Amino acid sequence: MAENKTKPSKLSVAAFIDSVMDSGRRSDAKALIKLMQGAAGEKPRMWGPAIVGFGSYHYKYESGREGDMPVVAFSPRKAATVLYGLTGSDEAKAL
């Protein structure tokens, strides 16, 4: 079974956001940090090289595949900002 590529990393969230070339997307990223940090009650941390995540949860599929993911996250990609969120659980209702 392949290993998950999306894992918490020690990369700097601030350095990543500062490296976003588009000023509008960079401004949106700063606003999303405030919004998601308030909603999740967790500080941001990098998940892999390009996802800013808040909190974490462990999942396990019937197939046996399991891993950890942020509860909510975003990535200011070149074409668009992508939002990630936990769905289908009791924890998701609060968010």
Side-chain angles (χ1 to χ4, degrees), residues 39-40 57 70-72 84-95:
Y57 70 96
V71 175
V72 292
Y84 303 92
L86 174 65
T87 61
S89 74
D90 291 336
E91 293 86 1
K93 292 176 186 173
L95 293 171

Side-chain angles (χ1 to χ4, degrees), residues 16-89:
F16 173 67
I17 298 304
D18 288 344
S19 74
V20 174
M21 299 300 276
D22 182 271
S23 63
R25 211 168 306 291
R26 188 170 49 252
S27 178
D28 290 347
K30 291 176 182 179
L32 281 168
I33 287 175
K34 289 180 184 178
L35 178 75
M36 290 184 171
Q37 184 170 344
E42 300 277 349
K43 291 185 177 185
R45 69 194 262 191
M46 294 300 298
W47 285 72
I51 297 175
V52 179
F54 301 81
S56 67
Y57 70 96
H58 187 79
Y59 65 87
K60 185 172 184 177
Y61 296 128
E62 289 181 18
S63 66
R65 182 179 180 91
E66 62 184 296
D68 297 296
M69 291 297 291
V71 175
V72 292
F74 72 92
S75 183
R77 309 262 185 211
K78 187 174 183 177
T81 297
V82 179
L83 304 178
Y84 303 92
L86 174 65
T87 61
S89 74

